[in-house]
Amino acid sequence: IAGITQAPTSQILAAGRRMTLRCTQDMRHNAMYWYRQDLGLGLRLIHYSNTAGTTGKGEVPDGYSVSRANTDDFPLTLASAVPSQTSVYFCASSDGVNEQFFGPGTRLTVL
Amino acid sequence: AQSVTQLDSQVPVFEEAPVELRCNYSSSVSVYLFWYVQYPNQGLQLLLKYLSGSTLVKGINGFEAEFNKSQTSFHLRKPSVHISDTAEYFCAVTLRDNTNAGKSTFGDGTTLTVKP
């Protein structure tokens, strides 16, 4: 693993289903983030984590939850997917001061 | 709260011409400044950053940006663009506050299209 990986690359999901997007980093960064990117709306922060064991809400947290059991992993869960959650999701990490490192993204379609 | 405004949503330019992508920010405290580039179907990657020191910073692929504190701007420039520079560019700020978890505020992006 080099940098940040995300899985799956893409997913088509029926509305009402539960889905977990996975994110793993190997840089030992304390901070991790989840964004969604929608055309015309830029990047919007969903949830973030300062360090393992802590999480916080971003700009658009409703319908999403996260956990940070260890430094490397930061999964994002949609408990009951809705069509408005169709988006491209990016995970990122940083040391809390310098730039963020982004994963390749997960393209999610909720039908 | 801080905010970032990218003044141009789309910038078309011919190959080998100069380009400037404009970014203004507002914040009540000092910030770190970043430019990221996103190629189609990829994540964002860092072009350059201003943390401290010289206000003119150089990045990858021949890009540079100048931090202007009085005008709260961080415009991105390149003297001669290539077709391969066609991408989405994002300006971002992070508060100089270690209780902020390094959260960045991003602009809405500027689509640079380089024409042959």
Side-chain angles (χ1 to χ4, degrees):
Chain A
I1 298 177
I4 292 193
T5 58
Q6 292 184 237
T9 302
S10 65
Q11 182 75 44
I12 298 174
L13 190 65
R17 296 296 296 269
R18 180 183 180 89
M19 174 74 190
T20 295
L21 308 184
R22 300 183 299 279
C23 174
T24 299
Q25 55 111 350
D26 65 355
M27 295 172 283
R28 308 303 292 172
H29 284 161
N30 283 328
M32 296 187 74
Y33 319 87
W34 272 106
Y35 297 91
R36 59 178 292 173
Q37 184 177 32
D38 303 288
L39 196 62
L41 295 176
L43 284 165
R44 292 183 291 170
L45 182 66
I46 304 171
H47 285 288
Y48 67 95
S49 170
N50 267 350
T51 187
T54 68
T55 63
K57 294 182 178 179
E59 183 185 353
V60 288
D62 294 343
Y64 306 95
S65 64
V66 291
S67 62
R68 187 87 185 277
N70 57 62
T71 298
D72 298 345
D73 301 300
F74 191 43
L76 176 74
T77 298
L78 288 67
S80 178
V82 295
S84 62
Q85 292 177 311
T86 293
S87 187
V88 181
Y89 291 85
F90 289 101
C91 180
S93 73
S94 85
D95 62 7
V97 174
N98 288 294
E99 70 270 23
Q100 295 186 13
F101 292 80
F102 285 80
T106 294
R107 188 173 297 272
L108 181 66
T109 302
V110 182
L111 301 176
Chain B
Q2 68 273 25
S3 66
V4 177
T5 302
Q6 291 184 240
L7 298 164
D8 308 290
S9 60
Q10 299 195 23
V11 174
V13 64
F14 286 104
E15 193 173 19
E16 298 184 5
V19 71
E20 178 179 79
L21 306 184
R22 297 179 295 167
C23 173
N24 287 104
Y25 69 93
S26 68
S27 176
S28 57
V29 300
S30 296
V31 297
Y32 301 119
L33 295 151
F34 306 87
W35 275 101
Y36 294 86
V37 60
Q38 183 181 31
Y39 299 105
N41 299 313
Q42 294 185 25
L44 280 68
Q45 56 185 278
L46 183 73
L47 264 182
L48 48 78
K49 61 185 175 183
Y50 173 76
L51 302 183
S52 65
S54 173
T55 57
L56 181 64
V57 292
K58 295 186 184 296
I60 62 172
N61 302 339
F63 283 92
E64 63 180 34
E66 185 154 21
F67 168 51
N68 188 317
K69 187 175 182 180
S70 62
Q71 297 186 5
T72 60
S73 68
F74 192 54
H75 301 332
L76 181 70
R77 303 185 184 98
K78 185 170 182 177
S80 176
V81 294
H82 303 291
I83 297 288
S84 59
D85 292 322
T86 294
E88 187 86 8
Y89 292 80
F90 291 92
C91 182
V93 299
T94 300
L95 297 183
R96 291 177 179 259
D97 175 354
N98 60 14
T99 66
N100 195 45
K103 288 184 290 180
S104 290
T105 298
F106 289 83
D108 288 341
T110 297
T111 301
L112 174 65
T113 303
V114 181
K115 306 175 185 178

